[in-house]
Amino acid sequence: MKMTALKMYDPQIYELINQEEARQSGTLRMIPSENYVSKAVMEATGSCLTNKYAEGYPGKRYYEGQQVTDLIETLAIERGKKIFKADHCNVQAYSGSVANLAVYNGLIEPGDTLMGLSLTDGGHLTHGWKVSITSRIYKSVSYKVRPDTGLLDFNEIEDLAKKHKPKLIISGATAYPREIDFTKFEAIAKKVGAYHVSDIAHISGLVVAGIHMSPVPYSDVVSTTTHKTLRGPRGGLLLSKQEHADKIDKAIFPGQQGGPHMHTITAIAVALAEADTPEFMAYARQIVKNSKRLASKLMEVGFNLVTGGTDNHLILMDLRNRNIPGKKFAKALDRARIVTNYNTIPGDTAPPANPSGLRIGTPAITSRGMKEDQMDIIAGFMNRVAENIDNESVIEQVEKEALMLCSMFPIPEHFIIQHREN
Ligand SMILES: *Cc1c(COP(=O)(O)O)cnc(C)c1O
């Protein structure tokens, strides 16, 4: 990036940004929640909209000077409603976590019970995990996946729902490699009179592309981040049925937030337009093709995968048969320029700080244009690191080859190249 003012004023930060840019370009970034945004999204994020206060909503602001911000936020809302086919869209949440808190805040009362997937089984902190504020404000019940299959167990979820009578049931996950049947959650929520909230932070890009079931028709509210498979700036998006529109908007502002981050909302508008293109659909399909290919190659070379594969952008590796702790493997891979995160696996007896699993994903490497052939190569890299976990010279050799692979797939400046008409 050209940053002449920054270079002059703060050479230290300028240099660090350059180092991070080099890292992002010279590593295989396989943390499934990360991606590369387009240059258009980056430009909008770094625009003058960062200078504007816009408390309120389009047409009902508490500050003047909203001639442009109203138009931008309205565009973002309309684009969000269009691609997710939702009645209502709120684009102001600062990120996924606060978006979730606002949903609870809008729909239920402190002390009410909510139910979500356990963090150790792939749920998010904000789904009521014990260290999250969501478990202090609300009573929290966690459901788990089946330890033998790694799959959601709808009988158990229904039993728990009948027993604890939650006011709100959360579907969606942060480390679940299979497609989620949101109709089953809706049916259970209906039976016990609970709201159904879907959190598609990870898979929203796949949902927009029609690859995974959309929860929008089957949920009271759908929450997503904008920066994972959706490939926008860091932010949150809430989609809801019309009947909840007012409650959701009020829960975000003034319930929880002050001024919205207009530069982020501007970039969200751009990302939503990008997601509404045939190129994005092809991108999302390739994410899943790559993930499936990577999964099958990893199994071929002797890795065990939770649920035996993947339907989406992520893979959860169970490293117990290779006798390598998750953290040790993640650190060795990082030295080999393959950036991942260690993760608990269902039924893990190891502590979350050093669990038995590794979570990887294909959104970022697919943005670089990598396809099935490169997945075979990456599976080979991972296997060589695992087989030589204490042999630094082999890890160094893999590092050189990974850098070579990165250099063959530079970060593209523009993902969506054709001119947009409106
Ligand atoms: C990433 C994630 C979030 C939180 O997003 P942040 O932007 O990191 O706050 C919420 N829910 C799920 C399922 C996630 O994966």
Side-chain angles (χ1 to χ4, degrees):
M1 256 190 128
K2 268 220 184 68
M3 296 176 294
T4 42
L6 190 57
K7 187 175 180 182
M8 269 169 52
Y9 183 75
D10 193 339
Q12 220 177 348
I13 286 292
Y14 174 79
E15 168 56 21
L16 290 173
I17 293 175
N18 276 333
Q19 280 179 25
E20 174 62 8
E21 202 166 69
R23 189 196 69 81
Q24 290 188 12
S25 126
T27 56
L28 296 162
R29 297 174 58 232
M30 297 184 70
I31 294 170
S33 45
E34 291 186 353
N35 215 327
Y36 297 95
V37 298
S38 70
K39 188 130 186 270
V41 168
M42 197 69 96
E43 284 176 359
T45 308
S47 71
C48 65
L49 271 299
T50 199
N51 296 333
K52 185 65 193 131
Y53 246 106
E55 284 191 4
Y57 288 101
K60 320 170 264 233
R61 306 279 192 192
Y62 290 81
Y63 297 72
E64 296 312 312
Q66 313 292 352
Q67 293 81 355
V68 178
T69 45
D70 275 7
L71 297 176
I72 290 175
E73 186 168 348
T74 303
L75 265 178
I77 291 167
E78 291 307 321
R79 289 174 182 177
K81 279 160 65 173
K82 176 172 180 236
I83 66 169
F84 286 101
K85 301 183 180 68
D87 296 347
H88 180 72
C89 176
N90 182 304
V91 295
Q92 292 197 359
Y94 298 145
S95 211
S97 302
V98 278
N100 284 352
L101 193 56
V103 177
Y104 312 154
N105 190 8
L107 296 181
I108 62 176
E109 294 299 319
D112 284 350
T113 300
L114 56 75
M115 194 171 117
L117 180 59
S118 165
L119 179 98
T120 52
D121 285 43
H124 192 258
L125 283 164
T126 55
H127 296 178
W129 188 242
K130 56 193 171 198
V131 298
S132 160
I133 184 101
T134 54
S135 77
R136 293 177 57 193
I137 302 178
Y138 308 100
K139 280 193 212 103
S140 159
V141 178
S142 295
Y143 55 89
K144 292 180 162 291
V145 296
R146 279 182 64 120
D148 52 342
T149 60
L151 298 173
L152 290 167
D153 180 348
F154 287 99
N155 292 328
E156 195 221 341
I157 296 169
E158 181 165 343
D159 288 347
L160 278 172
K162 284 178 172 159
K163 184 170 164 208
H164 296 282
K165 299 254 179 314
K167 287 268 168 61
L168 189 153
I169 298 177
I170 305 147
S171 60
T174 198
Y176 187 70
R178 295 297 181 175
E179 185 166 6
I180 295 174
D181 186 347
F182 296 107
T183 63
K184 294 195 169 147
F185 278 100
E186 185 202 28
I188 294 170
K190 278 227 167 89
K191 272 187 198 167
V192 300
Y195 291 113
H196 175 208
V197 173
S198 300
D199 180 354
I200 55 169
H202 264 261
I203 58 164
S204 49
L206 308 182
V207 167
V208 166
I211 297 165
H212 276 222
M213 175 192 281
S214 170
V216 170
Y218 313 112
S219 314
D220 291 286
V221 184
V222 175
S223 163
T224 183
T225 59
T226 47
H227 48 273
K228 297 180 184 175
T229 51
L230 198 54
R231 207 161 66 180
R234 310 196 77 78
L237 203 75
L238 290 171
L239 306 151
S240 76
K241 296 217 161 37
Q242 195 55 45
E243 58 177 303
H244 304 308
D246 206 38
K247 282 187 199 164
I248 293 300
D249 284 351
K250 283 194 173 126
I252 290 278
F253 175 86
Q256 233 174 267
Q257 297 187 170
H261 293 178
M262 280 312 306
H263 59 309
T264 300
I265 291 171
T266 306
I268 288 173
V270 176
L272 294 174
E274 289 181 350
D276 194 15
T277 57
E279 289 83 356
F280 187 85
M281 310 293 146
Y283 162 64
R285 278 194 298 276
Q286 192 64 45
I287 291 178
V288 177
K289 279 192 214 161
N290 283 350
S291 183
K292 283 179 186 284
R293 176 67 161 259
L294 182 59
S296 74
K297 280 285 155 183
L298 287 170
M299 290 190 288
E300 211 175 288
V301 297
F303 285 106
N304 284 341
L305 307 184
V306 174
T307 77
T310 179
D311 298 330
N312 60 19
H313 64 300
L314 75 82
I315 295 167
L316 195 52
M317 301 169 71
D318 175 348
L319 300 168
R320 289 176 299 192
N321 70 319
R322 304 293 293 253
N323 275 320
I324 308 170
K327 195 171 182 174
K328 184 169 182 181
F329 194 35
K331 295 220 174 282
L333 287 170
D334 194 55
R335 292 200 296 282
R337 293 182 180 269
I338 301 169
V339 188
T340 64
N341 69 272
Y342 52 87
N343 215 97
T344 53
I345 50 171
D348 210 335
T349 49
N354 188 16
S356 311
L358 189 82
R359 191 181 70 146
I360 59 176
T362 53
I365 54 176
T366 305
S367 284
R368 297 180 79 142
M370 293 188 189
K371 296 216 161 78
E372 286 89 333
D373 286 350
Q374 287 73 49
M375 299 308 115
D376 296 353
I377 296 170
I378 293 170
F381 288 165
M382 294 183 77
N383 189 45
R384 276 160 66 202
V385 171
E387 280 180 345
N388 300 280
I389 191 79
D390 293 313
N391 185 338
E392 243 6 84
S393 72
V394 175
I395 293 174
E396 248 172 62
Q397 181 55 35
V398 174
E399 183 265 338
K400 289 198 182 81
E401 292 172 39
L403 181 59
M404 190 83 83
L405 182 59
C406 288
S407 70
M408 287 158 64
F409 291 87
I411 305 166
E413 288 239 308
H414 302 279
F415 299 115
I416 311 295
I417 38 180
Q418 90 282 40
H419 177 68
R420 294 189 65 255
E421 293 195 342
N422 48 38

